[in-house]
Amino acid sequence: LAKTTQPISMDSYEGQEVNITCSHNNIATNDYITWYQQFPSQGPRFIIQGYKTKVTNEVASLFIPADRKSSTLSLPRVSLSDTAVYYCLVGDFSGAGSYQLTFGKGTKLSVIP
Amino acid sequence: KAGVTQTPRYLIKTRGQQVTLSCSPISGHRSVSWYQQTPGQGLQFLFEYFSETQRNKGNFPGRFSGRQFSNSRSEMNVSTLELGDSALYLCASSLDPGRTTDTQYFGPGTRLTVL
């Protein structure tokens, strides 16, 4: 059963670059890695998705090494509004034969003025 | 395009009762997934429906069930409520996740409190 591991929390000052790493040792060959952002009492919001190497959009970058056993979400120049919980999502195929998506525990990012 | 909507937003029930939550996906999306979020367990997958069929199911007891209608709207039912069922229930829709991770769009959630 593939699982993901992320740091529980991180602190950063405004304007700094923040890197959050997720471990997923048992990622399946066809699975993509997706990151979501969640504010209190709201549903998660899609940030970025990738399969390998590097992906960049207007919000973040995602770095995935060749072995794909981990990924790093990079948020450039964070602001107070980036304070949220960030989830790493990887497709998961259970031994019982059903397919499910597994969210990690999430990383609570606190941006300090 | 309207986002995912969930009704009701807040619900208070007592132990032993049952509850039905509703989710309307983004227009054109055929897959609807349900998640339970609690402070202790985080986001946990309940089940996923596609074309009115439950395609995937998480590790929850049979008290949790769902269905999907021909217009892709979905309902989730919890019978014989327990205190531990208090949670934020999130619905997410996507075109068709399949085996590769697809972009899921989440609704605002239904906050269920069981007394």
Side-chain angles (χ1 to χ4, degrees):
Chain A
L1 189 67
K3 292 189 181 295
T4 58
T5 304
Q6 304 174 235
I8 294 175
S9 64
M10 295 180 69
D11 294 334
S12 176
Y13 288 102
E14 272 191 296
Q16 289 189 328
E17 178 184 74
V18 172
N19 295 311
I20 306 174
T21 297
C22 176
S23 297
H24 29 78
N25 291 321
N26 297 324
I27 186 171
T29 302
N30 295 329
D31 285 341
Y32 279 67
I33 300 150
T34 310
W35 285 79
Y36 284 83
Q37 174 193 57
Q38 186 179 28
F39 298 109
S41 299
Q42 294 185 26
R45 183 176 73 98
F46 172 85
I47 301 176
I48 196 166
Q49 184 182 79
Y51 182 80
K52 62 180 179 181
T53 63
K54 177 184 176 182
V55 179
T56 299
N57 62 21
E58 64 279 3
V59 177
S61 294
L62 180 60
F63 299 91
I64 305 169
D67 65 7
R68 303 199 332 120
K69 293 186 177 182
S70 66
S71 59
T72 299
L73 174 71
S74 181
L75 304 172
R77 298 179 297 281
V78 294
S79 64
L80 295 176
S81 63
D82 292 318
T83 294
V85 178
Y86 292 82
Y87 291 97
C88 168
L89 176 62
V90 176
D92 177 21
F93 187 84
S94 75
S98 64
Y99 183 76
Q100 65 188 62
L101 302 178
T102 303
F103 277 81
K105 292 296 186 181
T107 297
K108 184 173 183 179
L109 173 65
S110 298
V111 179
I112 306 165
Chain B
K1 184 182 280 190
V4 177
T5 58
Q6 292 186 245
T7 56
R9 291 294 312 279
Y10 302 91
L11 205 50
I12 299 175
K13 293 286 187 178
T14 57
R15 282 179 296 175
Q17 288 186 310
Q18 75 165 15
V19 66
T20 299
L21 311 181
S22 181
C23 172
S24 293
I26 292 173
S27 177
H29 284 191
R30 298 168 63 190
S31 170
V32 174
S33 296
W34 289 89
Y35 295 83
Q36 180 196 65
Q37 186 171 30
T38 59
Q41 297 300 318
L43 267 160
Q44 291 186 288
F45 173 78
L46 279 158
F47 30 64
E48 184 239 348
Y49 285 86
F50 180 80
S51 293
E52 303 179 63
T53 301
Q54 185 182 88
R55 192 162 57 173
N56 304 301
K57 189 178 188 303
N59 296 322
F60 278 81
R63 299 186 297 107
F64 293 82
S65 63
R67 59 177 176 169
Q68 186 180 34
F69 302 96
S70 58
N71 61 359
S72 293
R73 189 177 70 85
S74 177
E75 287 183 347
M76 184 194 120
N77 184 76
V78 187
S79 62
T80 319
L81 284 167
E82 301 177 359
L83 295 178
D85 297 333
S86 294
L88 180 66
Y89 289 88
L90 291 158
C91 165
S93 77
S94 64
L95 285 171
D96 179 6
R99 274 299 301 272
T100 59
T101 306
D102 189 15
T103 302
Q104 292 195 325
Y105 296 87
F106 284 81
T110 294
R111 173 73 63 184
L112 172 64
T113 301
V114 182
L115 303 176

